[in-house]
Amino acid sequence: MSRAFVFPGQGAQTIGMGRALAETYPAARAVFDEVDAALSQDLSGLIWEGQIEELTLTANAQPALMATSIAALRALEAEGFAVTDAAFVAGHSLGEYSALCAAGSLSVSDTARLLRIRGEAMQSAVPVGVGAMAALLGLDFAAAAEVAAEAAQGEVCQAANDNDPAQVVVSGHKAAVERAVEIAKAKGAKRALMLPVSAPFHCALMQPAAERMAEALAGVALAAPVVPVVANVVAEAVREPEQIRALLVQQVTGSVRWRESVQWMAGQGVTEFWEIGAGKALSGMIKRIAKETVQKSVGTPEDIAALKG
């Protein structure tokens, strides 16, 4: 049986995530401590006892979700599972950083600092209210891309997240995204709705953030991953550190090709996908993409006990 470890992106955050892992496994607690030290912030206090509005701020959510994912991985390791048990690792948007950390390409501290910079850079790239994102349900990627192109009208509107066969997220200028919602409905989308996000991620408006990430990544040591990482922007495995560095920059403005990434892994023989960290959003997407595969969530001590059983 071939397995892949996958790591969630923004939107999966909840108050209290990872706390039971930290209380049960010293190695999981050490991850949160390391992230707190790297950021000079009591981020774990915010994650476990803070306000969801503050945790959801992009600059907090990104390192917080990574910390929870790596804490879950450390708990798995304490029970005899290893990242090298997986044929591939992959993550959705910021989850790609968690995947790289899991595979030993990046240290926990460097990953936390990069995600803090990434969150701040993505938030500041576009003034609040200028950009937006919307989910188009019931349209495939090609149809959603056509909708985005029609809606642009001289502004930016791009198909940003190819999540599963019937869920595509578009991103760009607010007025253009609003036009895309109406066009999608007219073209037969089951639903089309604006998303409660703070910035238009994964589109050309993020170019200032891409430039900031290029600077930040240039100053960080990147090792070859011990397990191949399936990168968002190419939807196939990569192992060469300089290619990984370049793709992480491209990822800021490029589409998250999640559907294709899962299809690629399934095509390589992956039959089990373990979602490592908060929530079950990726498992739901994977079930719709690769129906014959098995999905397992690993976010609590109970989840890990079930895997052992």
Side-chain angles (χ1 to χ4, degrees):
M1 183 176 295
S2 180
R3 129 185 349 147
F5 287 179
V6 297
F7 298 85
Q10 213 159 323
Q13 65 274 2
T14 56
I15 295 296
M17 63 182 184
R19 186 171 197 164
L21 291 168
E23 290 171 347
T24 307
Y25 295 97
R29 176 72 207 216
V31 173
F32 288 103
D33 291 344
E34 185 174 349
V35 170
D36 286 353
L39 299 179
S40 301
Q41 176 193 6
D42 182 18
L43 186 64
S44 56
L46 170 60
I47 296 168
W48 297 333
E49 297 177 341
Q51 299 298 313
I52 189 64
E53 294 79 13
E54 188 178 355
L55 180 60
T56 298
L57 292 173
T58 303
N60 290 327
Q62 296 201 20
L65 285 161
M66 180 278 297
T68 303
S69 285
I70 301 304
L73 181 70
R74 296 289 180 261
L76 275 176
E77 290 170 347
E79 296 291 1
F81 299 96
V83 71
T84 48
D85 295 339
F88 304 101
V89 294
H92 191 284
S93 191
L94 85 88
E96 190 166 313
Y97 285 79
S98 304
L100 287 163
C101 183
S105 268
L106 288 166
S107 71
V108 171
S109 294
D110 281 344
T111 310
R113 286 189 286 263
L114 284 169
L115 286 172
R116 169 56 51 81
I117 292 166
R118 185 177 184 267
E120 291 174 345
M122 292 172 92
Q123 187 62 63
S124 63
V126 181
V128 173
V130 170
M133 299 181 80
L136 311 183
L137 307 182
L139 298 181
D140 64 17
F141 186 75
E146 285 182 13
V147 167
E150 186 178 332
Q153 298 178 21
E155 294 185 307
V156 170
C157 189
Q158 292 172 234
N161 295 6
D162 184 5
N163 285 336
D164 66 38
Q167 185 194 121
V168 181
V169 174
V170 296
S171 181
H173 285 107
K174 186 167 184 280
V177 172
E178 288 170 343
R179 287 192 292 271
V181 166
E182 296 310 312
I183 293 167
K185 289 176 182 174
K187 288 184 180 290
K190 288 181 181 174
R191 289 180 71 200
L193 61 155
M194 303 295 285
L195 295 176
V197 295
S198 54
F201 305 127
H202 299 292
C203 76
L205 295 176
M206 287 286 114
Q207 185 56 35
E211 292 166 8
R212 179 73 185 90
M213 287 313 296
E215 293 173 12
L217 285 157
V220 169
L222 255 171
V226 297
V227 175
V229 179
V230 179
N232 284 184
V233 295
V234 293
E236 61 185 30
V238 293
R239 294 194 89 144
E240 203 282 307
E242 291 315 307
Q243 184 187 14
I244 291 168
R245 200 186 305 270
L247 291 175
L248 287 174
V249 176
Q250 292 176 35
Q251 193 221 54
V252 179
T253 55
S255 296
V256 176
R257 295 169 61 184
W258 187 250
R259 175 183 58 86
E260 292 175 278
S261 296
V262 172
Q263 287 176 335
W264 186 88
M265 286 184 276
Q268 302 297 308
V270 171
T271 54
E272 270 194 10
F273 289 88
W274 290 18
E275 183 169 4
I276 314 291
K280 299 181 180 180
L282 296 185
S283 295
M285 293 177 197
I286 293 165
K287 194 173 187 66
R288 293 186 287 273
I289 297 164
K291 294 180 173 63
E292 304 306 311
T293 63
V294 174
Q295 299 81 41
K296 298 188 177 183
S297 299
V298 186
T300 66
E302 291 76 17
D303 292 338
I304 295 170
L307 293 173
K308 290 172 64 185

